[in-house]
Amino acid sequence: MAANVEIKQEPVEGVDLETRIINLCQQNPSGINEETIKDDMPQFDVKQRVTAINRLLSTGRLEIFKSGSKLIYRIKDGQSTNSQLKGGDNQEKLVYQIIKEAGNKGIWIRDIRYKSNLLMTQLNKILKNLESKKLIKAVKSVAASKKKVYMLYNLEPDRSVTGGAWYSDQDFESEFVEVLNQQCFKYLQQKAITAAEGKSDPVAQKNGSYASSSEIWTFISKLGISKVQLAVEDIETILDTLVYDGKVEESFLEAQSGDRKRLYRSIKPLIETTGLMRMPCGSCPVVDQCREGGVISPLTCVYMKDWLS
Amino acid sequence: MSKCKVELAYQILKELHGEVVAEIARHLMKFGPRHIKLISEVTQLRVNQIKKGICILIQHNFVKFDRNKKGVTEYAINTDAVSLQLRYPRYIYCAKTLYGDAAELLVEELLQNGQSLMSIASERVTQRLNEALEATGNPKITSSLVRDKFGLLVKTHFLRRCQTVLTDDENRVISSEEPKETESLFILPPLEAGSKRKRNPDGSGPPSKRSKMEEMDIPPDDGVYWMINVERFHQYFRDQLIINCVNSKIDKQAGEIIRNMLRLSEIKTEPHSTVSATMTITEIFHSLPKELGMTKHIVEQYLSILTEDSVDVISKVCDSSGGLYVINIFKVLKSLCQAHIESFVQERFGSKCLRIFRVLILKKHLEQKQIEEYAMIPTKEAKELLYNMFAEHFITLTEISKTVDHAPSRTYYVFRVNIDQVARIILEKCYKAAGNAIIRRQMEVAKHKRVLDKQERVDAIIASLDQAGADEAQKEEIKETITPPEKEQLERCRTTVNMLEQSEIQTDETIFIIETYLYYSLLNTPIK
Ligand code: SF4
């Protein structure tokens, strides 16, 4: 009976053993030996261990080294790809390696060529190959619209490549930015009004009008105007544009942990439209050519005429 | 001297004193100090005309004269003073709000005549006031009351004596100068009735006045001429700007505090210094009128808000005795000037441009790429906006090459904003705009001259009928001679003229702020 049970359980435990060995290897990146495995999971016998290790080795998930008289097992990187790369030649592996080093910033085809010293035609073929195997992918960069960069298939492209939340297919979403800009401002304005109504003490009034960037982030997220998930930093960039617009002021709050919290509040404009701009000459495009007796003259000016009637 | 400013000054003079005077003034503005012969040669005007014209200009304190090395008298014009006429309505209004109707009329009287004796000005104002009072059935006032007002205006430095004249050995007036002691500008002459002096044989007072005066009674204060002190008015306007700035930035209460701080430090502050004299928190608190009902705690709070504010209205300079504060006059002016510039950019180029403009002010210098990122404007659009502003010199571009060959690919292109330069550009536009408004206004008046004249005649007739005690029906009849279309025309003309006059005054407000800022900025640039 007991034997029966054991036979039935073996495959289960076998798989279990394999994952546990992998885990163990991950914890010790420098490698493990027989002893470590034995200490860690004494419930398995030698035979079970050997089969498991053999299987791992044959599927290419583990590497085996010799250190002194002992054998060391270590995780083999890029385990899954390695098997797929098997069919490819050394050049393919080289290109793959170069692209991998570039990380999620990607690498431009010309730079791959420099590094690999391959001919363009050859390189193109290899890249196509790798792409079709879904090992790498080409991503269009926002920095230069015609430039494609390559990176590993499973990587999320860096912000500098995609442009972050503000781009969809390399197009900058001006309108989206403007909408967010207005929404943030509305929120801050409302906050300032509530603060001014609620409190009589001037300092409390001022402090009440501030909102932290995460507060505004929550508000915007709840509004549901954004299709993409925005980070607090994204909202901060938007809030900065409001600061540049001169509608909002920024301030910092030193938290106990030492990091700074960014606070924002809407401010009232210092002046109304300046006096000059309340007559047509202020924004006149031909003011430099305008003179008494000239072709353009205040006596015959159409802007004046429209404005005065 | 800026071309547009000369043009503006010319237009103003032409309107008030006629073409000849304006022509002489324009000549002097363009070429600097000259003697009469030379003016006459170039302008083709008769010497006699020029003499009269210059008299008028001297009377209004626009022209000064001096004898050059060869012993010929040369005349120099002060363009600023001429263009200040645009601001006269504001001076008058300011006197009215501060010291009432008599002061208003006194200032008006002095502005109209350029300079005048205290006795004469007061006399005339009393007359005018009494006429108005009589018409409304109120009792008359005495001239001593008006004279007291005059004294008050002098005491508060809104009025000052004219420059003292210099004479040569033969007692001929050759020049004038500011007295060494500023205080002597504000000393009132003895004015008791009956203390009529003999006319000084050496005759002081500008030559233009003298001949006229000889035939009249000699007033007790003969020779002591007065004019308005524009600097004092400007200082008042400046303070008002600072208060308004705080009013709109924070609130009315904070504005009141600043108003009192300005009053407190007024006398102690050096003229044109960038910061006011220091004052303690106790001083500030005690200077506040009780009606405001502010506790010391609230005042403290407001002071701390004002210190922390981005405009930097006041600073705490020292912690002793509860804190010493100063008002940062220059900083407020700078913020205000910047606000006006920004308002211009916003209206002229749009809000996206304003954002770029402000990014550049805040970050000093940037490449186009950085601008796009900060302002969150896509490349193509940013390029266009930058170009728009660049074309009008609102932003400048500096090339910084990495290599000696200045190849574009190895060069940084850095954009900047130079506030003072932009301020000057806008100032120039203001002069132009104000000049254009005057030209247009004159044209509108000329266009409707016939109807306007008719209206005037009708008014005159009605007034005389009134005096003769005519009945309503008669007056009605006269009134009806103006037809409905004519009435409409008059109405339209009136609104047009009003609009244009309004813009002249509003434009002058922009001019005042920018000029004041530039003046301070120039004073405080260290000489390299
Ligand atoms: S008068 Fe007309 S054309 Fe001339 S500056 Fe003014 S708006 Fe422009």
Side-chain angles (χ1 to χ4, degrees), chain B residues 393-405:
Chain B
H393 310 291
F394 276 69
I395 53 178
T396 55
L397 180 67
T398 317
E399 289 182 23
I400 302 171
S401 190
K402 279 183 268 186
T403 51
V404 280
D405 61 356

Side-chain angles (χ1 to χ4, degrees), chain A residues 166 172 174 181 201-202 243-246 249 268 270 274-278 282 290 292 298-299 307, chain B residues 11 248-250 301 310 340 343-344 347 352 355 358-359 363 374 376 378 432 440 443 499 503 506 510:
Chain A
W166 317 120
F172 183 79
S174 298
N181 173 291
D201 175 336
V243 174
Y244 302 139
D245 285 341
E249 239 171 38
K268 288 175 257 174
L270 269 192
T274 177
L276 171 64
M277 301 315 277
R278 289 184 227 158
C290 173
E292 207 180 351
L299 298 179
W307 174 63
Chain B
Q11 292 298 343
S248 52
K249 188 77 206 297
I250 300 168
Q301 285 200 330
S310 54
H340 280 265
S343 164
F344 182 94
E347 303 287 317
K352 284 267 174 72
R355 190 184 294 169
R358 280 185 45 99
V359 165
K363 307 272 176 193
Y374 283 124
M376 303 206 62
K432 179 97 186 188
R440 182 79 187 198
M443 181 198 101
M499 268 169 96
S503 356
Q506 283 170 345
T510 313

Side-chain angles (χ1 to χ4, degrees), chain B residues 3-65:
Chain B
K3 215 174 112 202
C4 295
K5 192 168 187 179
V6 171
E7 196 52 38
L8 170 63
Y10 173 78
Q11 292 298 343
I12 297 174
L13 280 178
K14 192 171 125 195
E15 180 166 33
L16 292 173
H17 303 290
E19 202 135 354
V20 176
V21 175
E23 204 51 60
I24 299 168
R26 171 143 77 180
H27 184 79
L28 289 175
M29 288 189 269
K30 269 191 186 158
F31 299 105
R34 294 218 147 170
H35 54 86
I36 290 184
K37 271 239 181 65
L38 206 51
I39 305 174
S40 132
E41 258 165 44
V42 183
T43 54
Q44 301 288 325
L45 292 167
R46 270 174 290 118
V47 172
N48 232 349
Q49 276 180 307
I50 294 177
K51 276 189 180 160
K52 270 192 202 144
I54 285 187
C55 266
I56 294 175
L57 291 169
I58 293 175
Q59 167 80 27
H60 284 90
N61 315 304
F62 300 147
V63 160
K64 288 193 21 169
F65 46 91

Side-chain angles (χ1 to χ4, degrees), chain B residues 15 25 39 44 90 119 148 170 180-181 197 259 262 268 270 274 304 372 399 450 452 466 485 518 524:
Chain B
E15 180 166 33
I39 305 174
Q44 301 288 325
R90 256 179 105 189
S119 52
D148 286 347
E170 291 158 46
K180 286 185 191 67
E181 309 226 342
R197 292 180 304 152
R259 183 195 303 279
L262 282 166
K268 285 184 278 173
E270 297 274 320
T274 46
S304 87
E372 288 161 23
E399 289 182 23
R450 194 190 62 81
L452 286 170
D466 249 350
L518 283 176
N524 296 298

Side-chain angles (χ1 to χ4, degrees), chain B residues 332-500:
Chain B
V332 182
L333 285 175
K334 185 165 187 181
S335 302
L336 271 171
C337 180
Q338 201 176 313
H340 280 265
I341 292 175
E342 282 166 12
S343 164
F344 182 94
V345 173
Q346 159 102 36
E347 303 287 317
R348 175 81 181 83
F349 301 106
S351 52
K352 284 267 174 72
C353 270
L354 176 63
R355 190 184 294 169
I356 295 182
F357 191 77
R358 280 185 45 99
V359 165
L360 282 172
I361 292 177
L362 289 168
K363 307 272 176 193
K364 305 285 184 283
H365 33 244
L366 294 173
E367 285 189 89
Q368 192 193 325
K369 188 96 198 59
Q370 295 167 298
I371 297 173
E372 288 161 23
E373 274 165 24
Y374 283 124
M376 303 206 62
I377 294 173
T379 314
K380 231 171 120 195
E381 203 183 340
K383 218 180 259 171
E384 198 186 323
L385 298 178
L386 280 169
Y387 176 75
N388 285 348
M389 290 196 281
F390 181 67
E392 300 214 8
H393 310 291
F394 276 69
I395 53 178
T396 55
L397 180 67
T398 317
E399 289 182 23
I400 302 171
S401 190
K402 279 183 268 186
T403 51
V404 280
D405 61 356
H406 285 267
S409 60
R410 286 185 291 279
T411 304
Y412 296 113
Y413 292 92
V414 185
F415 290 97
R416 290 170 214 263
V417 166
N418 178 344
I419 285 284
D420 289 16
Q421 179 191 328
V422 176
R424 268 182 219 110
I425 294 172
I426 296 181
L427 190 57
E428 195 68 12
K429 286 185 197 285
C430 287
Y431 294 141
K432 179 97 186 188
N436 282 349
I438 294 177
I439 296 175
R440 182 79 187 198
R441 181 161 51 80
Q442 283 171 346
M443 181 198 101
E444 295 289 337
V445 172
K447 211 165 68 185
H448 299 107
K449 190 158 184 6
R450 194 190 62 81
V451 215
L452 286 170
D453 281 352
K454 189 169 171 189
Q455 162 91 30
E456 216 168 88
R457 251 177 290 138
V458 169
D459 283 347
I461 295 172
I462 291 179
S464 63
L465 281 178
D466 249 350
Q467 271 180 349
D471 57 20
E472 283 300 313
Q474 256 177 315
K475 276 195 269 177
E476 213 40 50
E477 206 175 298
I478 298 290
K479 263 189 204 158
E480 255 150 43
T481 51
I482 297 179
T483 59
E486 277 175 340
K487 248 188 210 147
E488 201 180 301
Q489 209 180 342
L490 274 173
E491 197 44 50
R492 203 165 338 117
C493 175
R494 207 168 293 141
T495 37
T496 312
V497 169
N498 267 349
M499 268 169 96
L500 286 164

Side-chain angles (χ1 to χ4, degrees), chain A residues 279-291 296-305, chain B residues 429 432-433 436-437 440:
Chain A
M279 68 178 284
C281 298
S283 42
C284 173
V286 287
V287 60
D288 292 335
Q289 284 111 290
C290 173
R291 64 194 163 80
I296 301 167
S297 147
L299 298 179
T300 54
C301 168
V302 280
Y303 300 111
M304 281 270 194
K305 201 171 153 215
Chain B
K429 286 185 197 285
K432 179 97 186 188
N436 282 349
R440 182 79 187 198

